[in-house]
Amino acid sequence: MIDLNDVFFGYSDANTEAERNPEGFKKVFFDPRNILDELISGDRFILYGRKGDGKTAYSAQIKLTAPDKGFFAFQRSLSNFNNATFTRIKTNEIIGGNPYISFWKAILMIESVGMIHRCEPNIQVAEFLSLVDALKRYGLLADDSDISVTVTKLVELDSAINVRSVFQHGRKWQQEEQLRGAEQIYSAIKRTIQTLYVGKKFILIIDGLDDILNNSEFRAEIITGLIRAAEEINRAFRKTTLSVKCLILIRNDILNLCRDPNQSKIVRDSGIKLSWNLPDDPFDSDLLKLVSKRVDVVTGKENSLRDVWAEIFPDTICGKASIEYVLGNVIYRPRDVLQFFIEAQKEFVKGARLSEEKVQNALQQYSDGYFVDAMRDELTGFFPNDAVTALPDVLSKMGTQFFYPVEFAKQCANCLAFKDVDTNRVLEALFQAGYIGQHRPREKNDYTVFSYRNPREKFQPEHECILHRGLMRGLTI
């Protein structure tokens, strides 16, 4: 019997693990669908999925493997993004289309220049060196990993100094033509760098889009503009001497807010969706094979989780196979399953099997310390903070696993935090994230659906709702 505590089940953030233990992270990274190769060498550039599905793990692996595979990768975060910055861009002169595309194109080009300069500091092309010098003088090549710095700086300079003069000397510009100026910046940088010969590919990764929801002035069209800008840049640099590609990592729920005439086409042609489903035998699933990669490091064998589980965990819990029982209390995504194993380690004693009681304790700690807070995190930004904070209390006061949306609305009516909040939208968000399921009526037998088990299912406000078992534990229902 192995010592379960010898297995490292990771940190809550993949970037942290990759930074602290890069060689170990490369060993346990699991990519059953060869998504990594497509993101690096293919045409697809949008990686999307639920919170906790492993998007950041892909960006971390891209950065770690770049030196070995002969390309450069640079990650820029939107973690301190402030949508209010965009209110200072004059857009009323733009007729039709998304007014933020040109601005994002300029930002991504500036970030690309910074990436190229950091990765290849010895380039001696005069035009490129002049461009780098100009951008540095105006503070547009910040060393900070946050792309928000570049966004803010460009807005400020566009208003005060007219950065466009760096590229178009002697030309007269009018103050109200802000976005046309951004288009000129983009075009001028593209002309300068597209003929550079470096011999290696450059990948710019845009991550941290979760935090844009924390701003009360969030507008989905800003992110739509970013996606359209990345798509145009990737298309433009497919046939140039210099190879540049922009990747965007984004949550499903944020992507679904973005609306554009070409949005569905772009996502269909250029997006990759992360999802984790379970076959009849859970140990054959990609989700548990991902966990097994970490166990294999200790056992020295491949796909050893099945045997380790049989050695350490009880055969059955409450009349079910123990693995099926545990998976029924979590959501099917890497972060959740790994978090359960971290809790199981706390109950494990070397040389002894885990009892049913100890597994139940691990599940309780998983719900108390992780599951409820994870629910709040996923709703943050979509609804008022006070409502998100109060939601567990509202669900707890209902005191039942089963309820209809109208009953939830009545309970919310007693909570001031839910004033003017559409309660059906809250339930729909909970359903899409997997924290509640629904009963579907049939002529013979009702059946139960959860979105993480049945991705095609949509929330139906007339049907009965069911709290996830992990949520019930956390709410002590």
Side-chain angles (χ1 to χ4, degrees), residues 191-221:
R191 285 196 304 270
T192 302
I193 69 173
Q194 65 185 357
T195 57
L196 289 176
Y197 179 75
V198 179
K200 292 186 177 181
K201 186 176 191 129
F202 293 90
I203 297 180
L204 179 65
I205 306 169
I206 309 299
D207 196 2
L209 271 71
D210 292 17
D211 285 357
I212 66 172
L213 294 170
N214 294 332
N215 191 286
S216 60
E217 299 184 53
F218 167 69
R219 283 174 288 172
E221 60 266 31

Short mmCIF file of all heavy atoms in Angstrom, two decimals, residues 191-221:
data_model
loop_
_atom_site.label_atom_id
_atom_site.label_comp_id
_atom_site.label_asym_id
_atom_site.label_seq_id
_atom_site.Cartn_x
_atom_site.Cartn_y
_atom_site.Cartn_z
N ARG A 191 3.18 46.57 -39.90
CA ARG A 191 4.09 46.76 -41.03
C ARG A 191 5.55 46.66 -40.60
O ARG A 191 6.39 46.15 -41.33
CB ARG A 191 3.84 48.13 -41.69
CG ARG A 191 2.59 48.22 -42.53
CD ARG A 191 2.64 49.44 -43.43
NE ARG A 191 2.85 50.67 -42.66
CZ ARG A 191 1.87 51.42 -42.17
NH1 ARG A 191 0.61 51.04 -42.33
NH2 ARG A 191 2.14 52.53 -41.50
N THR A 192 5.83 47.13 -39.39
CA THR A 192 7.21 47.14 -38.92
C THR A 192 7.71 45.76 -38.55
O THR A 192 8.88 45.43 -38.80
CB THR A 192 7.34 48.07 -37.69
OG1 THR A 192 6.90 49.38 -38.04
CG2 THR A 192 8.77 48.13 -37.17
N ILE A 193 6.86 44.92 -37.98
CA ILE A 193 7.35 43.64 -37.45
C ILE A 193 7.07 42.44 -38.35
O ILE A 193 7.71 41.39 -38.18
CB ILE A 193 6.77 43.35 -36.04
CG1 ILE A 193 5.26 43.07 -36.11
CG2 ILE A 193 7.07 44.50 -35.10
CD1 ILE A 193 4.67 42.62 -34.78
N GLN A 194 6.14 42.55 -39.29
CA GLN A 194 5.73 41.35 -40.03
C GLN A 194 6.84 40.77 -40.91
O GLN A 194 6.79 39.60 -41.26
CB GLN A 194 4.49 41.64 -40.87
CG GLN A 194 4.70 42.64 -41.98
CD GLN A 194 3.40 42.97 -42.70
OE1 GLN A 194 2.35 42.40 -42.39
NE2 GLN A 194 3.46 43.87 -43.66
N THR A 195 7.83 41.58 -41.25
CA THR A 195 8.93 41.07 -42.09
C THR A 195 10.17 40.69 -41.29
O THR A 195 11.19 40.31 -41.87
CB THR A 195 9.32 42.14 -43.15
OG1 THR A 195 9.68 43.34 -42.47
CG2 THR A 195 8.16 42.40 -44.10
N LEU A 196 10.09 40.78 -39.97
CA LEU A 196 11.22 40.35 -39.14
C LEU A 196 11.45 38.86 -39.33
O LEU A 196 10.50 38.07 -39.35
CB LEU A 196 10.96 40.64 -37.67
CG LEU A 196 10.98 42.09 -37.19
CD1 LEU A 196 10.60 42.15 -35.72
CD2 LEU A 196 12.35 42.73 -37.41
N TYR A 197 12.70 38.46 -39.41
CA TYR A 197 13.00 37.03 -39.48
C TYR A 197 13.68 36.62 -38.18
O TYR A 197 14.79 37.04 -37.88
CB TYR A 197 13.91 36.70 -40.66
CG TYR A 197 14.23 35.22 -40.72
CD1 TYR A 197 13.27 34.30 -41.16
CD2 TYR A 197 15.46 34.74 -40.28
CE1 TYR A 197 13.54 32.95 -41.17
CE2 TYR A 197 15.74 33.38 -40.30
CZ TYR A 197 14.78 32.49 -40.74
OH TYR A 197 15.03 31.14 -40.76
N VAL A 198 12.98 35.81 -37.41
CA VAL A 198 13.50 35.35 -36.13
C VAL A 198 13.72 33.85 -36.15
O VAL A 198 14.64 33.33 -35.54
CB VAL A 198 12.56 35.74 -34.97
CG1 VAL A 198 13.10 35.24 -33.65
CG2 VAL A 198 12.37 37.25 -34.93
N GLY A 199 12.89 33.13 -36.88
CA GLY A 199 13.04 31.68 -36.97
C GLY A 199 12.30 30.90 -35.92
O GLY A 199 12.36 29.68 -35.88
N LYS A 200 11.61 31.61 -35.03
CA LYS A 200 10.82 30.95 -34.00
C LYS A 200 9.43 31.59 -33.91
O LYS A 200 9.25 32.75 -34.27
CB LYS A 200 11.51 31.03 -32.64
CG LYS A 200 12.79 30.22 -32.54
CD LYS A 200 13.35 30.23 -31.12
CE LYS A 200 14.59 29.36 -31.02
NZ LYS A 200 15.14 29.34 -29.63
N LYS A 201 8.49 30.80 -33.41
CA LYS A 201 7.12 31.27 -33.26
C LYS A 201 6.96 32.00 -31.93
O LYS A 201 7.58 31.63 -30.93
CB LYS A 201 6.16 30.08 -33.32
CG LYS A 201 4.69 30.45 -33.33
CD LYS A 201 3.82 29.22 -33.49
CE LYS A 201 2.39 29.64 -33.76
NZ LYS A 201 1.80 29.01 -34.92
N PHE A 202 6.11 33.02 -31.92
CA PHE A 202 5.79 33.76 -30.70
C PHE A 202 4.31 33.56 -30.37
O PHE A 202 3.44 33.75 -31.22
CB PHE A 202 6.06 35.26 -30.90
CG PHE A 202 7.51 35.59 -31.07
CD1 PHE A 202 8.09 35.61 -32.33
CD2 PHE A 202 8.32 35.87 -29.97
CE1 PHE A 202 9.43 35.92 -32.50
CE2 PHE A 202 9.67 36.17 -30.14
CZ PHE A 202 10.22 36.19 -31.40
N ILE A 203 4.04 33.17 -29.13
CA ILE A 203 2.66 32.96 -28.68
C ILE A 203 2.37 33.88 -27.51
O ILE A 203 3.04 33.82 -26.47
CB ILE A 203 2.42 31.49 -28.28
CG1 ILE A 203 2.60 30.57 -29.50
CG2 ILE A 203 1.02 31.31 -27.69
CD1 ILE A 203 2.38 29.11 -29.20
N LEU A 204 1.37 34.72 -27.68
CA LEU A 204 0.92 35.64 -26.63
C LEU A 204 -0.35 35.08 -26.01
O LEU A 204 -1.35 34.90 -26.71
CB LEU A 204 0.66 37.03 -27.23
CG LEU A 204 0.16 38.12 -26.27
CD1 LEU A 204 1.22 38.44 -25.22
CD2 LEU A 204 -0.24 39.37 -27.05
N ILE A 205 -0.29 34.79 -24.71
CA ILE A 205 -1.43 34.17 -24.01
C ILE A 205 -2.13 35.22 -23.16
O ILE A 205 -1.51 35.86 -22.31
CB ILE A 205 -0.95 33.01 -23.11
CG1 ILE A 205 -0.12 32.01 -23.92
CG2 ILE A 205 -2.14 32.31 -22.46
CD1 ILE A 205 0.61 30.99 -23.04
N ILE A 206 -3.43 35.39 -23.40
CA ILE A 206 -4.24 36.33 -22.62
C ILE A 206 -5.09 35.52 -21.65
O ILE A 206 -5.95 34.74 -22.06
CB ILE A 206 -5.14 37.20 -23.51
CG1 ILE A 206 -4.33 37.86 -24.63
CG2 ILE A 206 -5.85 38.26 -22.67
CD1 ILE A 206 -3.22 38.76 -24.15
N ASP A 207 -4.85 35.71 -20.36
CA ASP A 207 -5.53 34.93 -19.31
C ASP A 207 -6.06 35.91 -18.26
O ASP A 207 -5.87 37.11 -18.36
CB ASP A 207 -4.54 33.95 -18.68
CG ASP A 207 -5.23 32.86 -17.88
OD1 ASP A 207 -6.47 32.84 -17.83
OD2 ASP A 207 -4.51 32.03 -17.28
N GLY A 208 -6.73 35.38 -17.25
CA GLY A 208 -7.20 36.20 -16.15
C GLY A 208 -8.47 36.96 -16.44
O GLY A 208 -8.75 37.98 -15.81
N LEU A 209 -9.27 36.50 -17.41
CA LEU A 209 -10.48 37.22 -17.76
C LEU A 209 -11.56 37.13 -16.68
O LEU A 209 -12.53 37.88 -16.72
CB LEU A 209 -11.04 36.73 -19.09
CG LEU A 209 -10.50 37.44 -20.34
CD1 LEU A 209 -9.06 37.07 -20.58
CD2 LEU A 209 -11.34 37.13 -21.56
N ASP A 210 -11.40 36.20 -15.72
CA ASP A 210 -12.39 36.06 -14.64
C ASP A 210 -12.59 37.38 -13.90
O ASP A 210 -13.71 37.74 -13.53
CB ASP A 210 -11.95 35.00 -13.64
CG ASP A 210 -11.99 33.60 -14.22
OD1 ASP A 210 -12.02 33.48 -15.47
OD2 ASP A 210 -11.98 32.65 -13.45
N ASP A 211 -11.50 38.10 -13.69
CA ASP A 211 -11.56 39.28 -12.84
C ASP A 211 -12.30 40.45 -13.47
O ASP A 211 -12.63 41.42 -12.79
CB ASP A 211 -10.16 39.73 -12.44
CG ASP A 211 -9.54 38.83 -11.38
OD1 ASP A 211 -10.25 37.90 -10.94
OD2 ASP A 211 -8.38 39.03 -11.01
N ILE A 212 -12.56 40.39 -14.77
CA ILE A 212 -13.30 41.49 -15.38
C ILE A 212 -14.72 41.55 -14.85
O ILE A 212 -15.38 42.59 -14.92
CB ILE A 212 -13.34 41.36 -16.92
CG1 ILE A 212 -14.14 40.13 -17.34
CG2 ILE A 212 -11.94 41.33 -17.50
CD1 ILE A 212 -14.38 40.05 -18.82
N LEU A 213 -15.20 40.44 -14.29
CA LEU A 213 -16.56 40.42 -13.76
C LEU A 213 -16.68 41.19 -12.46
O LEU A 213 -17.78 41.53 -12.03
CB LEU A 213 -17.00 38.97 -13.52
CG LEU A 213 -17.15 38.11 -14.76
CD1 LEU A 213 -17.36 36.66 -14.36
CD2 LEU A 213 -18.30 38.59 -15.62
N ASN A 214 -15.56 41.48 -11.82
CA ASN A 214 -15.60 42.16 -10.53
C ASN A 214 -15.83 43.65 -10.66
O ASN A 214 -15.89 44.36 -9.66
CB ASN A 214 -14.30 41.91 -9.78
CG ASN A 214 -14.13 40.45 -9.40
OD1 ASN A 214 -15.10 39.74 -9.21
ND2 ASN A 214 -12.89 39.99 -9.33
N ASN A 215 -15.93 44.14 -11.88
CA ASN A 215 -16.14 45.57 -12.09
C ASN A 215 -17.59 45.83 -12.43
O ASN A 215 -18.18 45.18 -13.28
CB ASN A 215 -15.24 46.05 -13.23
CG ASN A 215 -15.20 47.57 -13.33
OD1 ASN A 215 -16.15 48.18 -13.77
ND2 ASN A 215 -14.10 48.15 -12.88
N SER A 216 -18.18 46.80 -11.76
CA SER A 216 -19.60 47.09 -11.94
C SER A 216 -19.90 47.63 -13.33
O SER A 216 -21.06 47.63 -13.76
CB SER A 216 -20.07 48.10 -10.88
OG SER A 216 -19.34 49.31 -10.99
N GLU A 217 -18.87 48.10 -14.05
CA GLU A 217 -19.08 48.66 -15.38
C GLU A 217 -18.72 47.66 -16.48
O GLU A 217 -18.41 48.05 -17.60
CB GLU A 217 -18.26 49.95 -15.54
CG GLU A 217 -18.65 51.04 -14.54
CD GLU A 217 -17.89 52.33 -14.79
OE1 GLU A 217 -17.92 52.81 -15.93
OE2 GLU A 217 -17.28 52.83 -13.84
N PHE A 218 -18.79 46.38 -16.15
CA PHE A 218 -18.46 45.35 -17.13
C PHE A 218 -19.38 45.44 -18.34
O PHE A 218 -20.60 45.54 -18.22
CB PHE A 218 -18.59 43.96 -16.51
CG PHE A 218 -18.57 42.85 -17.52
CD1 PHE A 218 -17.40 42.57 -18.21
CD2 PHE A 218 -19.71 42.13 -17.81
CE1 PHE A 218 -17.37 41.55 -19.17
CE2 PHE A 218 -19.68 41.11 -18.74
CZ PHE A 218 -18.51 40.82 -19.43
N ARG A 219 -18.77 45.40 -19.52
CA ARG A 219 -19.51 45.37 -20.77
C ARG A 219 -18.96 44.26 -21.64
O ARG A 219 -17.76 44.24 -21.95
CB ARG A 219 -19.39 46.72 -21.49
CG ARG A 219 -20.28 47.80 -20.89
CD ARG A 219 -20.01 49.14 -21.54
NE ARG A 219 -18.70 49.66 -21.11
CZ ARG A 219 -18.14 50.74 -21.65
NH1 ARG A 219 -18.73 51.37 -22.64
NH2 ARG A 219 -16.99 51.18 -21.20
N ALA A 220 -19.84 43.34 -22.02
CA ALA A 220 -19.39 42.16 -22.76
C ALA A 220 -18.78 42.53 -24.10
O ALA A 220 -17.91 41.81 -24.61
CB ALA A 220 -20.56 41.21 -22.96
N GLU A 221 -19.20 43.66 -24.69
CA GLU A 221 -18.67 44.01 -26.00
C GLU A 221 -17.18 44.32 -25.96
O GLU A 221 -16.48 44.26 -26.97
CB GLU A 221 -19.44 45.19 -26.60
CG GLU A 221 -19.39 46.47 -25.79
CD GLU A 221 -20.58 46.62 -24.86
OE1 GLU A 221 -21.09 45.58 -24.40
OE2 GLU A 221 -21.00 47.76 -24.59
#
